[in-house]
Amino acid sequence: MSEVVPQSVVAIDIGTHKVSVLIGEVHAPDQIEVTGMAYVRNRGMSKGKIVSLEKVVSAIKNAVQEAEDMAECRVNSAWVAIPSTELRSFYAVGRAPVLNSEQTITTNELVRALELAKTSHITTDYYLTNAVPLGFAVDDSDEWVQNPIGLSAQSVTGHYQLMMLPISTMQNLDKALKNAGIGVEKMVISTLATSEASLLKDEKEYGVCLIDIGAGTSNIGVYFGGHLAFSSTLPLGGEHVTRDIAAVLQTTTEEAERLKTLHGCVDHQVIKPDHMIQVQTTDGTQTISRIELADIIVARYEDIFDRIRNILEANGVLTGLYHGVVLTGDAIQIEGAVTLARRKLGVSAHLGNPPLQVYAKDDMLPVLRRSLYTTASGLLIFSQSELQHSVTPPEEQTRSFWQRMMDGINDILNKLKNLF
């Protein structure tokens, strides 16, 4: 009997400050061994937008080549996680009649329901990147089902979370990948990919908010009943902290980044009053206290968490987070971030769970577990999950979102309240 050759899958995470690449061998849907990995500084993007196509192409090429050399293979196509700075995400409903002679729901009815849900929301300048099905109502039932195909009915109503980006943004990302010689299997909003790597099934089921703070953006994803029910992006991240440090201390961006990485903290309680640090300013070397540095950093992180809380409260989801918030992203690794999140958001908080489905051998594993590979790891999982079959690839979040959505969510929340 011939040996079965594992299927290969490639994940590329295009971030504001870096491009990360993972090459995995799929031994089973929940067993993906990483054989190649690399990340390269991305100098062609700002706040999630391409500002230099040439530099983005170069970053993609270099990261892919390094991963190829490690895995001893060549990459032709990949799953791609894309930034969501300009994301529009909203709830939509589509009701389709069942017209076939058997009065049985088929794929045709589900496709029609999605098309009807999209009709009133898609505009000529925005592109539907992902449509996440929240559930389906058969006829006039108040209960949602996840897979209605084969059920007898006169109509089926699909409930979706639609995620759109500007067409120009998608075209520029597609152009960058093509110029780098990479075919696209599917483009996925980074929040969906990161959630696959960072959240447990129970967390998604009973109510959780993923907060992914990267270099240029902070992505928010709220899950209820196992599905993404709300998403938003805040154009603030770690690079803004670096700029604050550089401005206040009159130093270079590079020195500010060094200070943040080596001495940064957002919890004054863990800093010794006599802890002093050296700073290379434009006027020469100066000595400041670590508390002084923390004051600068804390101000920006408090601003980010305050804004996130306002977003969650405005959309009515903060009180339903029975599993609190899960924190991930490069900028969340700073000392004291979890404590600050708990204080500012008023809910439980912890760092993201390591994605055990994605692993590597020997000394590669600690590198794989670094936060800069979280989204790419989640993308590998996403590529093998049932979710990717139901999330439509290639298109304004409204104030009335939760007014319509909560009717479907309330039953879930009421049942959960009985458990606590």
Side-chain angles (χ1 to χ4, degrees):
M1 180 180 292
S2 60
E3 183 179 354
V4 177
V5 179
Q7 170 195 355
S8 292
V9 61
V10 181
I12 300 178
D13 171 29
I14 302 178
T16 297
H17 276 189
K18 55 102 174 72
V19 173
S20 301
V21 177
L22 293 179
I23 300 175
E25 291 187 354
V26 182
H27 300 284
D30 60 348
Q31 296 180 22
I32 305 174
E33 179 185 355
V34 171
T35 57
M37 67 176 74
Y39 75 95
V40 169
R41 182 79 162 88
N42 183 5
R43 302 184 184 277
M45 297 185 74
S46 176
K47 300 178 182 179
K49 299 181 182 180
I50 294 179
V51 295
S52 172
L53 183 63
E54 180 181 356
K55 291 180 179 179
V56 174
V57 171
S58 177
I60 295 172
K61 281 184 175 180
N62 291 339
V64 168
Q65 183 174 345
E66 286 187 30
E68 286 177 332
D69 292 344
M70 181 182 291
E72 298 182 343
C73 71
R74 286 295 170 259
V75 172
N76 296 313
S77 62
W79 288 70
V80 182
I82 55 178
S84 55
T85 311
E86 304 164 284
L87 175 69
R88 286 185 178 181
S89 176
F90 46 82
Y91 169 70
V93 175
R95 182 184 180 99
V98 179
L99 301 177
N100 58 70
S101 59
E102 291 83 12
Q103 289 284 282
T104 299
I105 300 172
T106 68
T107 303
N108 292 333
E109 283 71 39
L110 300 191
V111 171
R112 179 61 178 156
L114 176 57
E115 290 299 320
L116 292 170
K118 290 158 47 178
T119 300
S120 61
H121 295 286
I122 295 178
T123 58
T124 56
D125 56 340
Y126 269 73
Y127 182 83
L128 179 67
T129 57
N130 301 106
V132 182
L134 305 176
F136 299 89
V138 177
D139 291 331
D140 296 319
S141 174
D142 293 331
E143 297 293 329
W144 292 358
V145 298
Q146 298 309 312
N147 183 11
I149 292 179
L151 297 179
S152 297
Q154 294 182 341
S155 67
V156 59
T157 303
H159 300 261
Y160 305 93
Q161 183 75 11
L162 303 184
M163 310 175 81
M164 303 193 307
L165 288 176
I167 288 177
S168 59
T169 296
M170 297 297 294
Q171 289 174 333
N172 288 334
L173 288 167
D174 185 61
K175 187 179 295 185
L177 289 158
K178 285 182 177 178
N179 289 356
I182 303 297
V184 178
E185 296 285 346
K186 185 175 290 187
M187 285 189 181
V188 179
I189 293 294
S190 60
T191 300
L192 290 173
T194 307
S195 297
E196 287 297 290
S198 304
L199 300 180
L200 300 176
K201 183 177 180 181
D202 280 354
E203 289 174 332
K204 290 183 178 181
E205 187 69 30
Y206 295 127
V208 69
C209 175
L210 176 74
I211 299 176
D212 178 12
I213 304 182
T217 62
S218 296
N219 298 321
I220 305 165
V222 176
Y223 282 79
F224 288 115
H227 298 280
L228 180 68
F230 172 78
S231 61
S232 182
T233 298
L234 187 66
L236 291 173
E239 67 177 14
H240 298 83
V241 179
T242 302
R243 292 174 187 172
D244 292 345
I245 296 171
V248 174
L249 298 182
Q250 293 294 290
T251 186
T252 64
T253 302
E254 290 74 15
E255 174 68 0
E257 184 68 25
R258 184 189 73 83
L259 291 170
K260 183 181 73 174
T261 303
L262 293 180
H263 306 291
C265 180
V266 291
D267 184 358
H268 287 90
Q269 299 298 319
V270 302
I271 301 177
K272 295 180 180 179
D274 59 348
H275 189 165
M276 310 300 289
I277 55 180
Q278 299 294 312
V279 181
Q280 299 298 323
T281 72
T282 54
D283 294 327
T285 302
Q286 294 186 14
T287 300
I288 66 170
S289 70
R290 192 185 180 201
I291 292 178
E292 184 178 347
L293 175 64
D295 288 339
I296 303 170
I297 298 173
V298 167
R300 177 62 72 177
Y301 272 85
E302 286 188 337
D303 178 42
I304 291 174
F305 283 123
D306 283 341
R307 295 192 188 201
I308 291 174
R309 182 182 181 116
N310 289 340
I311 291 172
L312 296 177
E313 287 182 333
N315 288 277
V317 297
L318 186 60
T319 57
L321 301 178
Y322 292 103
H323 276 270
V325 299
V326 174
L327 305 169
T328 187
D330 291 346
I332 211 65
Q333 307 306 313
I334 193 167
E335 185 178 10
V338 174
T339 300
L340 181 62
R342 289 173 184 153
R343 178 167 63 84
K344 299 302 290 184
L345 300 177
V347 297
S348 63
H350 66 82
L351 295 178
N353 306 286
L356 301 181
Q357 304 97 312
V358 179
Y359 61 94
K361 294 180 180 178
D362 304 325
D363 57 348
M364 289 176 61
L365 184 58
V367 179
L368 177 63
R369 292 292 180 249
R370 294 177 63 185
S371 61
L372 58 89
Y373 287 117
T374 299
T375 300
S377 295
L379 198 55
L380 292 180
I381 300 170
F382 187 95
S383 73
Q384 304 302 309
S385 70
E386 293 182 1
L387 180 62
Q388 64 98 351
H389 296 294
S390 60
V391 175
T392 303
E395 282 189 24
E396 164 178 1
Q397 188 171 297
T398 64
R399 186 68 176 86
S400 62
F401 168 79
W402 279 103
Q403 294 172 354
R404 294 178 292 169
M405 185 63 184
M406 287 309 292
D407 287 340
I409 297 292
N410 275 337
D411 287 343
I412 297 174
L413 297 183
N414 287 335
K415 291 176 183 177
L416 292 175
K417 291 175 182 176
N418 293 330
L419 299 177
F420 292 88

